[in-house]
Structures are given as C-alpha cells and as structure tokens.
Amino acid sequence: MAEPRLRLCPDAVLRHAEGGWIATNPRTHTHVGLSPAAAAVVGMLAGGASTDHWRDDLAEVTGVDRTGFDFRYGLWSDPSCLADPAAVQQGMPLLDLLHRRWILCADDQRDYRDYLAPLTSILDRSHLGTFHQLVGQHLALNLRLRDTWRWWHDSKFTSDGLALKAGPYKWVQAPFFDAYFAGQSVAGERLLDFACGNGFYSRKFAAMGAVVLGIDTEAELIRLAETNAAGTCQFLRPADPQASLAALLDLEPGKFDRIYMSDILLLLLEPGGDAEPAHAVISALARLLRPGGKLHLFEPNAVFWLGCRLGDAQDPMLVVSEYREQLYTVAPTLDRVMEVVGRCGLVLTEYAHPPGDHIPEDQTALRAFAHRYPLWDFLTFERRS
C-alpha cells in the first residue's frame, strides 16, 4: 500500500507578517504561524511528500496555531479568524496542525473537497459548515448557552437594550439609519418594525413621530422593548416564526406606510436553503404595504462581510472565495434577494452602502476596511400598486 502523501493545499497562501510567516487558507479562514525555517520546509515540499518526509523535515522547526473563531463581538468580529499564537508545535504535531487547518491536504485533494460542505449535525466537526451553523455550534457546544438570543443581543447592545455597544453597529449602521430616516419625514406614518428584537429602532422611529408596531418571537426581548418604549410603540409576540407569518396575515392589507427589517433576511434566506419561507414572509409583508409604501432591508454585504482580510491594517485587501455557490457566507447574494422580493411585486428603488465615517480614528483596521469595502447593504423596495 502506497504511503500517504500530503501537499500544499491549492487555496493556501504564505505571507510574511509579524517577523515570521503565516500560512493562511482564505476559503476555510484558518491560519498557522510558521518560523522562517518551517516556511522554507512548506515551500520545499509544497508539491507533495510522504507523511514521514514531512514529519522528519518539520522535526527541528516550529509553528503555532493562529486560527480562532471569536464571537465575543457578534457578527463583526474579524471574519478572518486570525488569533493570537497558541502553543509552539514541532514534528508530527506541527504536521497534524498544518493538515487540520487545511494548509496541507492529501495529494488527490479528496479530503479537502469533502471538508468543504455544510455541517450534518450540530456535533459535526469534520466539515466547514456555514457561518450560521458554526455560530450555532459554538453557542451550543462551546458556550453551552440555552438562551442564544441573549448572546446575540449582548454582542450589539448594552444589557438593558438602551444603547449600542462600541462597534460597527454603533459606528456604521446607526449613523446611516439616523441620517437616512431624518430625511424621510416619517412623522404620522404607520410603520412596522419586523423582527424588532429589543425595540431599539422601534423607539427611534417613534421618536421621529411614526406610529410603530414591532413584532418579534422572543418573549424576553419583547418585554425589554415594552419596558424601554414606555408606551410609545405597540408590540406583538407570536410564539414562533410560523406564528409570525400567521400574525402578518391577520393584519389589515395596506396597513403600513413603511416596513423595516434589519439582519433578518440572512436568517430567512440561508445559503443553499429553500427560498419559499423567505418568499412567504416577504409576500405577507408586501401585502401590508399601501401603494407607494416602502420596505427597507438592512443586511450584511454578502461579498465583503465575511471575506478573508489580508494585507496591512491601514491598507487592507480582501480575498473573496465564494459568491454564486455559497457555503460559509453570512448573507444572501443580491440576485437571490431580488428574485424573492421581485416575486412579491416590489420594485427596488434604492441601494446604498453605509459609509464608515463615524468609526473612531483609533480603530485603524476597521476604519480602513470600511472605507474600502461596505459592511452592509441598505435596500428600499416600493409597492407600486
């Protein structure tokens, strides 16, 4: 039987950084730090060698795991997953690390191609999975959280729901929201905040003079919303997503002038998933708009949000590894959005990339990245008849 052989993975890149080398696979968002001597070994054996050959040549050189899936700050954590160095490895442990992080793969690449697939269960550690699957796995298995909504909430908001925490939601999304809707004259309009969460934006609309109804399925978030709104908004809490659809269908057609959704379509229209649930929700929302009424969607940019960020912090570049055939990505591509929403009789009238002008100067990497690549898409669809 032929001895197993390993080679440099076709997607791996080797870059000089921090006085050494980092081997990165942008598709899998994995990294291994290498000493100059270890980098030389990887370069020398890149075309393929036996595992014994790799082990022997790596015996006197060092490498460290640099991969980290950090969710402390929710969706806006660095999607490149570059973490601080872990324990130093040599020899066979270093070879195992390089293979596990997909810097190396089998000669025929079959192991690597098999890995690039959705998770089969929450316990699956042998596939890449989608970003949403990995979040769910992390919350369930690593953090052992039962109330996952609290983690999502606290990654964006203060625990009382009254303010946004420092980060892109505060520095990019909120300033755009305030400036855009300040110029829309929403006073007196009937407005639906769908999947409103803690009602943070519901309260903003109410402060502008809109008559606001917020809908969300999470009881604790609706309690928080009702407490903070102090009677300035109304809220509904259906028991589950299916009940939310039923609640929408129970409302009077043409009831609203505007409907607002933020970071929701990414859950309704997941990569590779059935588009019909999203179509059912958007169709129900379209029914609730008066002629001329507007549906506003605020979603992470499907290309740039989770792309692998490389280059200098002040002059970053982005490696985009997928678009039409999505696996890891967080949000649906624009063509999928247009197909679903267009079927509901709504017409796209605005498409904007919120700028990063309010990101503090000391946030060098994020500020430089946001000036070059949009983090969010803001879309407005209108009901014409």
Side-chain angles (χ1 to χ4, degrees), residues 198-261:
N198 67 13
F200 181 83
Y201 288 105
S202 300
R203 299 196 309 272
K204 281 180 172 284
F205 282 124
M208 298 175 193
V211 180
V212 181
L213 172 66
I215 295 180
D216 201 278
T217 59
E218 179 51 58
E220 291 297 325
L221 290 176
I222 288 296
R223 292 191 191 102
L224 197 59
E226 290 175 335
T227 298
N228 292 340
T232 61
C233 308
Q234 288 186 308
F235 295 99
L236 290 178
R237 191 194 70 81
D240 53 45
Q242 192 60 38
S244 290
L245 182 59
L248 294 177
L249 296 175
D250 284 341
L251 294 173
E252 176 188 352
K255 181 180 178 65
F256 296 101
D257 301 291
R258 295 179 193 268
I259 298 174
Y260 179 73
M261 290 171 53

Side-chain angles (χ1 to χ4, degrees), residues 8-9 11-18 20-35 42 62-70 77-87 89 93-104 112 115 128 306-311 317-319 321 328:
L8 186 67
C9 183
D11 294 326
V13 296
L14 193 62
R15 56 200 172 100
H16 190 262
E18 303 170 18
W21 294 86
I22 297 178
T24 290
N25 187 323
R27 191 181 299 275
T28 58
H29 298 244
T30 49
H31 314 269
V32 175
L34 297 172
S35 67
V42 170
T62 59
V64 295
D65 194 2
R66 295 294 308 271
T67 303
F69 207 52
D70 184 359
S77 294
D78 181 4
S80 298
C81 303
L82 181 61
D84 293 333
Q89 305 288 349
L94 177 55
L95 179 60
D96 289 340
L97 173 63
L98 289 166
H99 192 190
R100 188 171 73 250
R101 294 311 188 195
W102 299 109
I103 307 305
L104 303 181
Y112 180 53
Y115 174 73
L128 174 62
L306 288 180
C308 191
R309 304 175 189 181
L310 302 177
M317 67 177 185
L318 190 79
V319 176
S321 59
Y328 186 76

Side-chain angles (χ1 to χ4, degrees), residues 39-320:
V41 170
V42 170
M44 180 177 62
L45 302 183
S50 69
T51 53
D52 286 345
H53 193 167
W54 276 102
R55 180 199 62 209
D56 293 344
D57 281 23
L58 293 171
E60 302 299 326
V61 300
T62 59
V64 295
D65 194 2
R66 295 294 308 271
T67 303
F69 207 52
D70 184 359
F71 291 111
R72 287 176 298 172
Y73 309 109
L75 285 176
W76 66 271
S77 294
D78 181 4
S80 298
C81 303
L82 181 61
D84 293 333
V88 174
Q89 305 288 349
Q90 289 180 281
M92 196 65 194
L94 177 55
L95 179 60
D96 289 340
L97 173 63
L98 289 166
H99 192 190
R100 188 171 73 250
R101 294 311 188 195
W102 299 109
I103 307 305
L104 303 181
C105 66
D107 244 2
D108 61 7
Q109 303 176 30
R110 187 176 302 174
D111 58 345
Y112 180 53
R113 299 305 169 191
D114 289 345
Y115 174 73
L116 299 175
L119 303 186
T120 58
S121 74
I122 198 169
L123 299 176
D124 183 3
R125 301 283 193 178
S126 61
H127 296 100
L128 174 62
T130 71
F131 181 81
H132 296 290
Q133 288 178 327
L134 293 174
V135 169
Q137 186 180 71
H138 177 74
L139 298 185
L141 302 184
N142 297 343
L143 300 185
R144 300 183 182 276
L145 295 180
R146 295 182 61 186
D147 295 327
T148 56
W149 67 266
R150 171 58 72 179
W151 177 87
W152 283 102
H153 176 272
D154 288 356
S155 70
K156 303 178 186 178
F157 301 97
T158 55
S159 59
D160 58 11
L162 290 173
L164 288 164
K165 290 182 175 179
Y169 286 94
K170 179 177 181 178
W171 302 327
V172 180
Q173 191 181 77
F176 180 88
F177 178 99
D178 292 341
Y180 178 86
F181 286 106
Q184 291 293 299
S185 301
V186 301
E189 290 189 344
R190 297 162 299 174
L191 192 144
L192 173 63
D193 186 1
F194 184 69
C196 64
N198 67 13
F200 181 83
Y201 288 105
S202 300
R203 299 196 309 272
K204 281 180 172 284
F205 282 124
M208 298 175 193
V211 180
V212 181
L213 172 66
I215 295 180
D216 201 278
T217 59
E218 179 51 58
E220 291 297 325
L221 290 176
I222 288 296
R223 292 191 191 102
L224 197 59
E226 290 175 335
T227 298
N228 292 340
T232 61
C233 308
Q234 288 186 308
F235 295 99
L236 290 178
R237 191 194 70 81
D240 53 45
Q242 192 60 38
S244 290
L245 182 59
L248 294 177
L249 296 175
D250 284 341
L251 294 173
E252 176 188 352
K255 181 180 178 65
F256 296 101
D257 301 291
R258 295 179 193 268
I259 298 174
Y260 179 73
M261 290 171 53
S262 176
D263 293 345
I264 300 304
L265 200 59
L266 62 89
L267 301 176
L268 296 175
L269 198 56
E270 291 192 46
D274 184 5
E276 288 309 306
H279 176 258
V281 171
I282 299 298
S283 181
L285 293 174
R287 169 184 167 274
L288 295 177
L289 285 171
R290 63 164 175 79
K294 297 180 178 182
L295 169 66
H296 302 288
L297 304 179
F298 224 139
E299 296 290 327
N301 183 277
V303 180
F304 302 120
W305 189 282
L306 288 180
C308 191
R309 304 175 189 181
L310 302 177
D312 184 78
Q314 298 187 44
D315 189 19
M317 67 177 185
L318 190 79
V319 176
V320 177

